[in-house]
Amino acid sequence: MSIRTILAALAAASTLLFSPALAEDHKKCGEATYLPSEYTCYNEKTLCPSQYGLPTKPCSGSGGCYPPEQFTCGEDGVLRDLPEATSPFTLSTWSVRTAYQNQILRACGGYLAFGANARQCTACTAAGGTNCGSYKNATVFLPDGKMSAAVPGHQYWYVDPSEGLLRYTPALSGNASANWNATVPYQQFAGVDVKVYENGFFIWQREGRSSNYWFACLVTLPGGTVSTARSWRLYSPLIPDMRGCELVRVVATAVDKNAGAYKYV
């Protein structure tokens, strides 16, 4: 066998080994074939695509597929918005890249981030009879713009208008908490720039414009290198020059308020 023949055979084998089609088996849906990572088959005949790693569903009246994180399909076949959130919730990211799918946001140092090195920073003191063991220390948000924290003065989540970054405040004690609307223009921050659906999308909105995606931007923490101590933070989608960032969707999942922390630090 000639060298040329051997090289051709190796090239063909390499193509087969690394072909995406071999990494996942096709399935049948009626007369069509599909990849389960890209589509979902309903009633053995209707295909709906996945968007940002989330499956969509068919709605006969609309004639298409819809994201169940934003709409419901009524018996009359009409799409309607999900109700806005009333429950405490956690947040997770979703993307076309599997590394960004179902990544939980964590609070630390005033920032909200996800990824292997995104830290969860909470604190509690037993002074005054506080039962620190009653808190589970997850990063939990409330629909009214507060964090699910029991510390006096409250903590709030908000979109920082100077850079579009999703953040949270320290505990605002005394008049700072009572006058939150005045001291940190509440109407521009906590819970106002964002619409949250019950068990659905966490959507950025302002002045009649809205978007159900965010930018996830890589941050290398102090002392870290390119391959270590990294996490991703979320920025609103209407902030310019987000080159190098990943488009993600953010989904709220209802949880028990007691899953939160005494204080996020």
Side-chain angles (χ1 to χ4, degrees):
M1 182 181 293
S2 69
I3 294 295
R4 180 176 296 179
T5 302
I6 293 174
L7 290 175
L10 288 174
S14 176
T15 300
L16 289 172
L17 284 173
F18 293 101
S19 171
L22 287 186
E24 183 180 8
D25 292 333
H26 284 79
K27 292 189 176 182
K28 293 284 289 184
C29 185
E31 297 299 316
T33 59
Y34 71 99
L35 290 173
S37 64
E38 298 178 2
Y39 291 88
T40 301
C41 180
Y42 296 93
N43 302 319
E44 298 183 358
K45 62 179 181 180
T46 302
L47 281 175
C48 280
S50 293
Q51 296 178 346
Y52 289 77
L54 295 164
T56 58
K57 292 183 176 181
C59 185
S60 57
S62 70
C65 301
Y66 69 96
E69 295 81 16
Q70 187 168 354
F71 303 104
T72 61
C73 178
E75 293 182 0
D76 55 2
V78 175
L79 286 178
R80 295 179 176 84
D81 283 352
L82 286 178
E84 291 192 39
T86 58
S87 306
F89 56 89
T90 57
L91 291 174
S92 59
T93 63
W94 292 85
S95 171
V96 294
R97 293 177 58 184
T98 56
Y100 293 79
Q101 293 178 8
N102 201 22
Q103 294 290 312
I104 303 297
L105 251 65
R106 298 183 176 93
C108 188
Y111 294 96
L112 296 158
F114 69 91
N117 292 290
R119 296 179 296 163
Q120 182 93 327
C121 300
T122 62
C124 182
T125 174
T130 301
N131 180 10
C132 293
S134 63
Y135 301 98
K136 298 182 180 178
N137 297 329
T139 298
V140 178
F141 307 82
L142 302 181
D144 64 358
K146 293 178 183 175
M147 302 290 287
S148 183
V151 63
H154 305 300
Q155 294 179 263
Y156 297 82
W157 55 267
Y158 66 98
V159 178
D160 186 335
S162 66
E163 52 185 344
L165 180 62
L166 185 64
R167 300 191 61 177
Y168 69 95
T169 70
L172 302 178
S173 59
N175 291 335
S177 177
N179 298 325
W180 168 253
N181 290 11
T183 58
V184 192
Y186 182 85
Q187 293 303 316
Q188 297 176 26
F189 293 138
V192 175
D193 279 348
V194 174
K195 183 175 184 178
V196 190
Y197 291 109
E198 188 77 11
N199 286 311
F201 285 141
F202 186 79
I203 291 179
W204 193 92
Q205 58 183 13
R206 179 183 287 179
E207 298 174 353
R209 295 190 294 175
S210 65
S211 176
N212 60 12
Y213 65 85
W214 296 71
F215 282 114
C217 302
L218 182 63
V219 175
T220 299
L221 303 178
T225 64
V226 172
S227 61
T228 63
R230 299 189 300 170
S231 63
W232 286 261
R233 294 173 183 167
L234 291 181
Y235 291 78
S236 67
L238 300 183
I239 299 299
D241 196 15
M242 289 287 105
R243 288 172 293 182
C245 299
E246 184 83 9
L247 284 176
V248 298
R249 282 181 171 168
V250 182
V251 177
T253 301
V255 295
D256 190 316
K257 184 177 181 180
N258 292 330
Y262 176 79
K263 180 182 181 180
Y264 299 99
V265 295

